[in-house]
Structures are given as C-alpha cells and as structure tokens.
Amino acid sequence: FAGLSDISISQDIPVEGEITIPMRSRIREFDSSTLNESVQNTIMRDLKAVGKKFMHVLYPRKSNTLLRDWDLWGPLILCVTLALMLQRGSVDSEKDGGPQFAEVFVIVWFGAVTITLNSKLLGGNISFFQSLCVLGYCILPLTVAMLVCRLVLLTEPGPINFMVRLFVVIVMFAWSIVASTAFLADSQPPNRKALAVYPVFLFYFVISWMILTFTPQ
Amino acid sequence: EFGDTAISLAANPDATTISIEDPGETPKHQPGPPGGSGREEDDELLGNDDSDKTELLAGQKKSSPFWTFEYYQTFFDVDTYQVFDRIKGSLLPIPGKNFVRLYIRSNPDLYGPFWICATLVFAIAISGNLSNFLIHLGRKTYHYVPEFRKVSIAATIIYAYAWLVPLALWGFLVWRNSKVMNIVSYSFLEIVCVYGYSLFIYIPTAILWIIPQKVVRWILVMIALGISGSVLAMTFWPAVREDNRRIALATIVTIVLLHMLLSVGCLAYFFDAPEMDHLPTSTAAPNQTVAAAKSS
C-alpha cells in the first residue's frame, strides 16, 4: 500500500455510484413468466394461437399470420380427430371396409408432405413447415363436415340423408380449397400456379371421398 | 426411304442440301426451321444433329450432383402450358409426329407422370367403388363398403407399371443399341415421361367405366388402347426400326400388349361384371343368363 499514497485523486470526482443494467429486471421477469407460469397459462397461450389460426381458415383473407407463426399443433389435433371419426368400428367385420386410423393418418401426412415437396420442386418460395401448417389447418372445414355427417347418420338412412351429406361435404370441400389457395397461391411462380394447386385439389378430394363414403357398422 | 426424302424436300425447300455436282458450293446451314414440321423432317433425314444437340443440352442442364435439391428441381422445370401441351399431344397422336421430339424436346419432367399416375390410381379406385355400388344397388343383401384396400393395390399396380416397364424397355433399347447403331435413342426419363403421359387417356376411361354395360366398357377399352398404344408405338418405332425387322415388330407388339394387359386387368379387378338381372328382357337372352351365371 506504500505505492498507493503517491496516487492523487482529486476530491471532486465521485468514484462511487451504482451500476445497473437497464433491461435486467425486465429479462428476469420474462424468464420467470414462461418458466414459472402455471401450466394453464402455457396451454391457453398455445390454444389461443391455434384458435386464431382456425379463425383465419374459416374466414380466409390474404394474410400472413398462418405463414409467419406456423405451428403443427392444429394439424395434429385435426388429423387425429378426423382419423378417430373415420376409422372402422371393429377390425374383423369387413375385410374391404373403410380406412383404419393409421391409414387416414398416413394419407393426410404423406399427402401433405408430397404436396409440399411438389410445390418446392416447382420453384415455390414457401418453407417446408409453413406449407405443412397451411395444408393441415385447411382440413378444418372437412373435419366439421365429418362431424355433421356423423350426426346426420344417426338419423334414419335414405336418399335425403345422403343428399344432405353430399351437400355438406361439397360445400366444405370448396371451402378448404379456397382457404388453402388463398394462402398458398402467392408463393408460386405465376406460370406454374395451376400445377401447384392441382395436387391440393386432389388431396382434399380424396379426404372428402373418405368422409362421404363413411358408413357406420 | 427415298420416297420420303423426295416428298420432304419438295415440302421444305430450305432444308440443308449438299449438292455433289458443284464442288465449290459450301453446304448451307438452314437459317431457321420454317415452322415445327420442318425440324421434324430434318430430324428424320439428318438424324444425329438433333440428338447431339440434345445430348449437349442434357449435359448442361443436369450439372448439380444428385444429392442436392437443385438436381431434382430440373425434373420439374415445366410451366402450366407445357404440361397441357404434352397432355394434348398424348390424346391426339398424329402419324409421323414423335411425342418425345415434338413435346418433350430434352426437357423430360416428372411432374406429369407422377400426378397423372396418382390421379389414375384414385380415379380407378373411386370409379370401381361407385360402379359396384350402382350395380348392386337394388339387392337387399348388399352392404356398401368403401373398399379402401383397393386404393393401395391400385397404387402398387399403376406405379409399378409406370416405372418398371420403362426401365425394362430402356434396358432393352440400350442393349440393342450396342448391337445395332440406332439413329434415335431415348434417355430413361424420356421413356418414363412418354409412358406417364400416355396413361392420361385412362383417367376419363376409368370414370366412364362406371356405366354398367359390358359393350360400352369394352368399346372404351378399345378406344383408350388405340390412342395410347399408337402414341407409344409411334414414339418407339423410330428407335427400333433400324434393327432386325422381327425384333422391331416384337418390341412394338410387346409394348402394346403390356398396355392392354394393364387396362383389361384393371377393368377386371376393380369393376365387377354388370349383372343383367336389373335390365328388362332383351333379345340376347342366352348371353345374359350366361353372363349372370358367370358373375354370381
């Protein structure tokens, strides 16, 4: 400490004070809000995001929300619901009956992946998961159609029964196509739009066919 | 051969001609084809030029290594109007016009074959299901089933046909090429492309097969086979005609036979025979009872 006495510090420069990082308190608050929040909050936040996207599908406008904040929860929920409702009642009754749960699942996801690959190979500038997200969410009208068909099938069978189901499925099929085209068409080069949209049409047509031909045991 | 030359030179006076009696005259390269047909005639006459150019172009295009995404993008480098043109070309076979040279022109795509086969799979499965439903509609013992298994069977059949038959044909042509120098040779993708587009006619045919009349169905088989068979025959005839006449004919006959086997097999497996008991009695009574007995 002998050498320190040579250093002279003028008395009027304060060398004490507080060092604070301005954002620190806010960051700590953000961290604890996602780590320590209740499970209900986490689930509700994701559910609200999914619900918001459902609304965008039901009232399709040209907006970027579906593409920007993509998630695959919605498609998973819809696919599982659809597959549960479409599967055969008992496995051993008819050999050539309707699709099984796994078959519906594979068709939906494999079909969506194929359409996405097709649109990327044609030169579209949409990312893989964004396209999967859009295609999955646009199954919502067809899932609603499936619910309606199941309810209608509880009444007695007959041609009116079939006509109602046919009408509902056709309307929902058109709705799905319009919704997905509104989101997907802009990402394609203009001279290949039809080439990219046709597989979407085929995909929803096959799903509509599976819904329409569903017969309960 | 000489008759063709005289006719085509008369029709196309601008074609390159080399006159031997005047040694000072240099052979003029034709300034430009006066329409698409001029190039076709020249192709038949001069043979190698176009195929050399196409080899170069093919080499220039597919330069990315096969593990990158860009490599596969070159197979989807088609616009909407090109796909429509190719489909139109497969529906209207014009004698003398080669589908590959006219429409594909060293830009084979995989979009057409893949999605035409996918549509055909679902068209056959769905039409078969609908037709069976309509045929058995009145019977009390019939319970409608969607027959979903048949979709996977149809997919296996159609995709196997669309890929394995071109593979076998390509291998056969390569082998014959090593023995006999052919003027026209096709790459594997061009053959897959031709086969894919030639299957397009079966989509409306499958939908029309819903009509439960045996005569109508067989007429449809004949029409479809005629159109797509002639597209295939006219495409592959230039590739084998340099060869031994018997082998060339056998190749073309095999191609058409396989095509017929596919269509008749699909008709027999996916579509039940229409039973005649719903129809009012007509004059051909013994045939109908035989048909009803066979199908029950």
Side-chain angles (χ1 to χ4, degrees):
Chain A
F1 291 111
L4 280 180
S5 59
D6 291 333
I7 300 173
S8 61
I9 303 173
S10 60
Q11 296 294 319
D12 51 4
I13 300 181
V15 285
E16 55 186 70
E18 274 188 28
I19 302 177
T20 54
I21 305 171
M23 300 290 290
R24 194 178 62 164
S25 55
R26 220 183 301 168
I27 289 177
R28 184 183 291 164
E29 185 184 7
F30 185 63
D31 273 342
S32 67
S33 73
T34 54
L35 271 181
N36 295 339
E37 68 176 2
S38 61
V39 175
Q40 182 192 5
N41 276 355
T42 316
I43 294 184
M44 284 314 293
R45 190 175 55 235
D46 278 333
L47 273 182
K48 277 203 200 115
V50 168
K52 206 162 87 152
K53 292 206 193 61
F54 279 172
M55 283 300 127
H56 276 276
V57 169
L58 286 179
Y59 303 106
R61 286 178 305 266
K62 277 200 196 311
S63 82
N64 276 339
T65 315
L66 222 71
L67 292 179
R68 223 180 25 227
D69 313 317
W70 60 268
D71 72 87
L72 291 179
W73 283 115
L76 183 67
I77 296 175
L78 287 173
C79 183
V80 167
T81 316
L82 192 63
L84 275 176
M85 286 196 286
L86 266 178
Q87 63 173 343
R88 273 176 268 165
S90 52
V91 175
D92 51 359
S93 58
E94 312 266 351
K95 191 167 165 299
D96 274 333
Q100 294 273 27
F101 179 92
E103 286 171 345
V104 178
F105 214 79
V106 159
I107 282 189
V108 170
W109 286 102
F110 188 65
V113 165
T114 310
I115 296 176
T116 307
L117 276 180
N118 175 65
S119 108
K120 284 189 80 70
L121 283 168
L122 282 173
N125 60 356
I126 191 173
S127 98
F128 185 75
F129 286 109
Q130 280 173 345
S131 170
L132 276 187
C133 169
V134 168
L135 287 168
Y137 269 104
C138 291
I139 298 184
L140 175 66
L142 287 172
T143 312
V144 169
M146 183 75 222
L147 276 166
V148 171
C149 280
R150 277 217 103 147
L151 289 175
V152 169
L153 276 171
L154 291 175
T155 67
E156 60 181 77
I160 305 181
N161 191 314
F162 177 72
M163 282 299 161
V164 168
R165 281 188 293 142
L166 181 67
F167 177 71
V168 167
V169 168
I170 289 180
V171 165
M172 292 303 177
F173 166 64
W175 201 333
S176 282
I177 300 261
V178 164
S180 59
T181 324
F183 294 115
L184 284 179
D186 285 338
S187 65
Q188 291 299 320
N191 49 351
R192 296 184 185 181
K193 276 210 180 41
L195 295 185
V197 166
Y198 170 72
V200 177
F201 170 85
L202 187 65
F203 176 63
Y204 288 127
F205 182 79
V206 170
I207 297 185
S208 314
W209 174 258
M210 287 199 295
I211 292 176
L212 188 60
T213 61
F214 172 75
T215 47
Q217 295 301 322
Chain B
E1 296 286 296
F2 294 111
D4 286 345
T5 315
I7 292 173
S8 49
L9 273 180
N12 190 4
D14 286 339
T16 306
T17 53
I18 301 176
S19 46
I20 302 180
E21 50 270 15
D22 199 313
E25 190 174 16
T26 55
K28 293 191 290 284
H29 285 286
Q30 69 178 92
S37 56
R39 188 188 264 234
E40 293 310 301
E41 251 94 49
D42 279 13
D43 205 37
E44 298 301 301
L45 288 176
L46 301 172
N48 271 329
D49 276 8
D50 207 3
S51 48
D52 279 351
K53 245 190 294 181
T54 55
E55 285 302 304
L56 272 175
L57 280 174
Q60 275 171 7
K61 272 179 33 157
K62 299 176 185 19
S63 54
S64 319
F66 67 90
W67 56 83
T68 57
F69 193 68
E70 285 73 27
Y71 176 73
Y72 297 102
Q73 264 185 325
T74 56
F75 301 138
F76 282 76
D77 195 15
V78 277
D79 293 336
T80 310
Y81 76 91
Q82 282 178 315
V83 172
F84 280 152
D85 274 345
R86 292 175 188 192
I87 291 180
K88 231 174 17 178
S90 78
L91 290 176
L92 304 166
I94 306 176
K97 306 283 189 194
N98 187 332
F99 182 78
V100 174
R101 286 283 173 252
L102 192 56
Y103 291 104
I104 299 191
R105 282 187 193 281
S106 83
N107 185 18
D109 71 305
L110 286 180
Y111 177 89
F114 183 78
W115 287 109
I116 290 178
C117 288
T119 314
L120 185 60
V121 163
F122 288 112
I124 287 186
I126 292 179
S127 304
N129 198 233
L130 257 182
S131 128
N132 291 350
F133 171 70
L134 289 175
I135 286 177
H136 301 298
L137 189 49
R139 289 204 277 145
K140 298 280 186 301
T141 56
Y142 179 70
H143 178 67
Y144 170 74
V145 284
E147 289 177 323
F148 197 72
R149 287 270 170 272
K150 297 209 165 166
V151 172
S152 28
I153 297 176
T156 316
I157 295 177
I158 303 280
Y159 275 101
Y161 181 82
W163 283 90
L164 294 182
V165 171
L167 187 66
L169 186 60
W170 175 73
F172 175 76
L173 286 178
V174 161
W175 173 59
R176 292 312 298 177
N177 235 354
S178 67
K179 302 210 163 173
V180 175
M181 196 55 219
N182 275 324
I183 290 184
V184 176
S185 65
Y186 299 124
S187 71
F188 171 62
L189 281 171
E190 286 172 346
I191 301 183
V192 167
C193 212
V194 172
Y195 262 88
Y197 280 103
S198 75
L199 285 177
F200 180 80
I201 182 70
Y202 285 111
I203 297 178
T205 310
I207 298 178
L208 286 175
W209 273 341
I210 297 180
I211 302 174
Q213 300 284 340
K214 243 188 165 60
V215 174
V216 170
R217 287 182 177 178
W218 280 99
I219 293 180
L220 285 169
V221 167
M222 289 297 133
I223 296 178
L225 187 65
I227 294 180
S228 63
S230 56
V231 167
L232 289 176
M234 279 190 280
T235 305
F236 290 107
W237 179 246
V240 293
R241 70 176 166 203
E242 308 294 318
D243 210 341
N244 186 353
R245 188 114 309 223
R246 259 190 246 158
I247 294 190
L249 277 175
T251 313
I252 302 290
V253 164
T254 314
I255 291 176
V256 174
L257 260 180
L258 280 173
H259 222 59
M260 183 167 78
L261 204 62
L262 177 78
S263 69
V264 170
C266 283
L267 177 63
Y269 183 71
F270 292 100
F271 294 81
D272 285 347
E275 302 183 71
M276 307 291 197
D277 29 3
H278 290 296
L279 296 179
T281 53
S282 65
T283 51
N287 282 349
Q288 289 180 9
T289 45
V290 166
K294 246 196 272 183
S295 54
S296 56

